[in-house]
């Protein structure tokens, strides 16, 4: 048997996302600036790097939001030829 990819393992352990949750971030100004930083430098830091920082206390939904975002970004980047999407989930 092949190993379970980390994202699928997280979904299995935490459960699936409730429909309609996490979608608010796609309308968030900071997220949209970060996502569109290639055409507008407002999503970039002073050194030109792009960082979307998601923080919150335990049990606030950071993991589910991160899973949602990786799925959204896979859809978003699928049609962009020059873009590679790489993500990593780690546990402390």
């Amino acid at each position: 048997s092949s190993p379970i990819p980390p994202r699928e393992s997280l979904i299995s352990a935490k459960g699936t996302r409730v429909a309609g949750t996490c979608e608010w971030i796609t309308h968030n100004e900071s997220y949209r600036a970060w996502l569109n930083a290639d055409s507008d430098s407002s999503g970039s830091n002073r050194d030109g790097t792009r960082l979307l920082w998601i923080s919150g206390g335990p049990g606030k939904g950071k993991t589910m939001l991160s899973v949602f975002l990786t799925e959204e970004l896979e859809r978003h980047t699928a049609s962009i030829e020059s873009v590679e999407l790489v993500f990593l989930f780690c546990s402390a």
Side-chain angles (χ1 to χ4, degrees):
S1 82
S2 61
I4 300 171
R7 183 173 64 184
E8 282 68 26
S9 176
L10 275 173
I11 293 169
S12 177
K14 295 202 174 255
T16 56
R17 177 179 66 89
V18 174
T21 60
C22 299
E23 295 173 8
W24 62 268
I25 197 164
T26 62
H27 305 289
N28 178 275
E29 186 178 319
S30 296
Y31 171 75
R32 294 176 69 78
W34 173 81
L35 183 63
N36 298 311
D38 283 341
S39 58
D40 175 5
S41 63
S42 64
S44 296
N45 293 330
R46 280 182 226 148
D47 63 359
T49 61
R50 292 171 57 186
L51 176 67
L52 179 64
W53 186 273
I54 297 173
S55 63
K60 300 297 183 188
K62 297 177 303 295
T63 299
M64 293 308 287
L65 186 60
S66 297
V67 168
F68 172 78
L69 284 174
T70 60
E71 293 168 344
E72 280 294 300
L73 291 170
E74 281 179 324
R75 282 189 284 277
H76 178 76
T77 60
S79 61
I80 305 172
E81 196 171 305
S82 61
V83 172
E84 291 269 347
L85 175 65
V86 178
F87 56 87
L88 171 69
F89 287 94
C90 59
S91 179

